[in-house]
Amino acid sequence: MINFLEKLGEKLYPVAEKLGNNKFLMAMKDGFINIMPLLIIGSMVVVLNNVVLEWGENSLWYGLGIQIDAGLAAKLAEYKIFGGFIWQGTLAIMALLVSFTIAYNLAKQNDDDAISVAVLSVAAFFVIQAWSVDVAFNEAGDTVTAFAVNTGNIGGANIITAILISLFTGTVYNWFSHRKIMIKMPEGVPPSVGRAFEALIPGAVILSIAALIASVLQMNFDVEFSQLITMVIAEPLQKIGSDGPIVAYLYVTLSNILYFFGIHGPNVLSFVDMTVLTPNAVANADALAQGLEPTIIFSKGMLDSFVFLGGGGATLGLIIAIFVASRHKADRAMAKFAIAPGLFNINEPLVFGLPIVMNPILFIPFVILPPLLLTTAWLQINFFHAIGLLQNTGGVLIPWVSPVGIGAFLSYQSFFAIVIALIQLAIATIVYLPFVFAMNKVRDKEVEMELNANS
């Protein structure tokens, strides 16, 4: 098995290398890596706010039956303002950040002025967004149209727009730069001033095209660019059927394929979650509240309980597999660093630090595990429900930071759900193990090549 995986890795490496040399994919990967520290910090404060400081009715602790004095709970909640401010400057502006970093990295590959391209990308990102928002201004619910930045447009849910704009900006700028269609200042002008004037012509074209797209969409269709993307992708998925398995399988598979290429899949596909999977979990909770049996199997509660074990790709299984099988200090050190956030389903350190991104050996388990775990969870839920060991087949919504097993208990109101979650984690670990062995072989060759290069 190990030899097979090693040979498979050797076959996949040329493909991965070719993909890795694609300037657009490289720019996207590097762009997300650039903001990785902010993603990690933002994820940590989310855990702080949702685990350490949250003791209300929707908290992890309340679900476990652990309650504290209401006054103390309210006092602790006040301190969430600290993490909230950090969230505002990290996860809440993820799309805005990558609109800069992806364009910057693409410009560097094209030997263009990276700062100019990145700044233009951010400008185009704002040009193509709607600035008008409806604000309620009295108790009757009357609204007035105000002009402000819609925070929903600069966060993780709008990453596709940021990626498209940054790649578009870098490509158009390079087209003008390559053909020297730029304003050249005479000698003696400071270089920074010269670069600013060089960006005038391509910048005017880029911003004009963005404004034209935004104008046409608003005047003719009363929709903005980010809404158009969501409509094109979300509506076909919704028509497939909200209570069937197809949407769930597409969600977990596409999410990890995007993640492999350095694109935060769960954020990109958040509209699928919010329009199908989360409502299914809410419907299960409503049924439970009415004394009925929750029956919608494919919900956000089910995925958080039995599929996203440590985050997308069930990477808690990979961490365990590395501790068991890896013989390389760097990989084991990264696993040690990743285990604490991984327990709360935060896997950005592992995805970008190991890395899993653009790693041909880990591509197979990372992408096939979510649909596999979805299948095994589906089978186990039906089987154990049929023999009377699991009361409900539908999971309710739970805090996404709930550790493996605890989340399953909260979602299904059953101690036996913990057993299913642990079986799922064991499956993930077993699937990852042979690939970790294969990665050892690859690491050995990398070390040998580096030693030969330095000798």
Side-chain angles (χ1 to χ4, degrees):
M1 180 65 173
I2 306 303
N3 290 332
F4 167 75
L5 291 174
E6 184 183 0
K7 291 179 181 179
L8 181 61
E10 291 174 355
K11 295 286 187 182
L12 290 174
Y13 253 106
V15 179
E17 186 177 13
K18 187 174 182 180
L19 290 173
N21 290 331
N22 181 282
K23 64 180 182 180
F24 297 114
L25 292 177
M26 287 179 65
M28 286 189 286
K29 181 186 73 171
D30 292 341
F32 277 94
I33 290 175
N34 289 152
I35 68 168
M36 183 179 68
L38 296 180
L39 297 181
I40 295 173
I41 294 170
S43 299
M44 292 299 185
V45 298
V46 168
V47 172
L48 172 68
N49 280 7
N50 289 276
V51 178
V52 180
L53 299 177
E54 177 57 62
W55 293 81
E57 293 186 3
N58 295 320
S59 70
L60 170 65
W61 310 114
Y62 193 92
L64 292 172
I66 303 173
Q67 299 181 37
I68 62 175
D69 177 74
L72 178 58
K75 188 65 177 177
L76 288 173
E78 291 179 5
Y79 292 103
K80 292 167 68 174
I81 189 173
F82 172 80
F85 282 127
I86 295 178
W87 174 82
Q88 289 177 185
T90 53
L91 299 179
I93 58 169
M94 186 187 299
L96 176 61
L97 293 171
V98 298
S99 71
F100 183 94
T101 57
I102 293 176
Y104 181 88
N105 284 286
L106 181 58
K108 284 177 62 178
Q109 293 181 58
N110 290 332
D111 292 325
D112 291 326
D113 180 32
I115 290 295
S116 294
V117 175
V119 170
L120 281 172
S121 177
V122 172
F125 179 71
F126 276 104
V127 166
I128 208 166
Q129 305 293 336
W131 277 64
S132 59
V133 293
D134 290 334
V135 181
F137 68 93
N138 61 26
E139 295 181 358
D142 297 329
T143 61
V144 62
T145 299
F147 291 92
V149 176
N150 184 348
T151 55
N153 283 342
I154 60 177
N158 203 24
I159 280 182
I160 290 182
T161 299
I163 292 172
L164 293 175
I165 288 295
S166 57
L167 297 180
F168 165 77
T169 301
T171 301
V172 173
Y173 191 99
N174 183 250
W175 188 90
F176 281 90
S177 173
H178 184 70
R179 290 162 178 78
K180 301 189 183 303
I181 308 175
M182 308 178 108
I183 297 174
K184 289 293 183 182
M185 299 300 290
E187 294 184 9
V189 173
S192 58
V193 176
R195 287 193 295 270
F197 275 89
E198 287 177 357
L200 277 176
I201 295 177
V205 172
I206 290 166
L207 298 184
S208 296
I209 293 175
L212 178 62
I213 293 172
S215 300
V216 169
L217 290 176
Q218 185 168 332
M219 293 172 64
N220 295 280
F221 305 101
D222 192 26
V223 68
E224 61 177 285
F225 189 74
S226 58
Q227 293 173 329
L228 178 66
I229 293 174
T230 300
M231 288 166 53
V232 168
I233 302 176
E235 288 185 0
L237 286 176
Q238 291 172 334
K239 290 178 180 177
I240 291 174
S242 62
D243 58 349
I246 297 178
V247 170
Y249 275 100
L250 286 174
Y251 176 76
V252 299
T253 304
L254 292 176
S255 177
N256 274 34
I257 290 175
L258 290 171
Y259 231 153
F260 177 78
F261 291 108
I263 303 169
H264 201 288
N267 281 319
V268 171
L269 299 175
S270 61
F271 58 84
V272 179
D273 175 12
M274 299 307 296
T275 58
V276 177
L277 299 172
T278 291
N280 284 353
V282 172
N284 283 335
D286 290 341
L288 194 64
Q290 297 171 33
L292 304 175
E293 179 187 335
T295 57
I296 303 177
I297 293 180
F298 298 96
S299 69
K300 188 64 163 59
M302 186 258 210
L303 298 184
D304 286 341
S305 299
F306 303 132
V307 179
F308 298 143
L309 310 175
T315 47
L316 192 58
L318 175 58
I319 292 174
I320 297 172
I322 289 174
F323 284 137
V324 171
S326 177
R327 58 173 179 263
H328 284 266
K329 291 182 178 180
D331 291 345
R332 294 178 69 86
M334 179 54 64
K336 290 177 183 178
F337 177 76
I339 190 168
L343 289 173
F344 297 100
N345 304 314
I346 298 169
N347 65 352
E348 281 84 358
L350 201 67
V351 170
F352 295 103
L354 189 59
I356 295 174
V357 170
M358 301 301 289
N359 186 328
I361 294 294
L362 294 178
F363 172 78
I364 296 174
F366 189 68
V367 172
I368 68 167
L369 249 180
L372 173 63
L373 291 176
L374 191 62
T375 303
T376 55
W378 186 7
L379 293 173
Q380 288 185 85
I381 288 170
N382 282 312
F383 173 75
F384 290 117
H385 178 69
I387 63 176
L389 293 177
L390 188 68
Q391 182 177 355
N392 301 316
T393 59
V396 304
L397 199 63
I398 57 174
W400 66 271
V401 292
S402 302
V404 173
I406 294 177
F409 170 76
L410 296 176
S411 185
Y412 287 83
Q413 313 288 302
S414 168
F415 283 102
F416 201 81
I418 300 175
V419 177
I420 298 177
L422 293 178
I423 292 173
Q424 293 286 95
L425 181 59
I427 293 171
T429 303
I430 291 169
V431 169
Y432 271 118
L433 268 173
F435 293 91
V436 172
F437 282 119
M439 199 162 63
N440 283 335
K441 299 277 190 180
V442 174
R443 296 289 197 231
D444 291 340
K445 289 184 178 180
E446 289 175 350
V447 171
E448 183 180 349
M449 290 174 61
E450 186 175 350
L451 291 174
N452 291 335
N454 294 331
S455 62

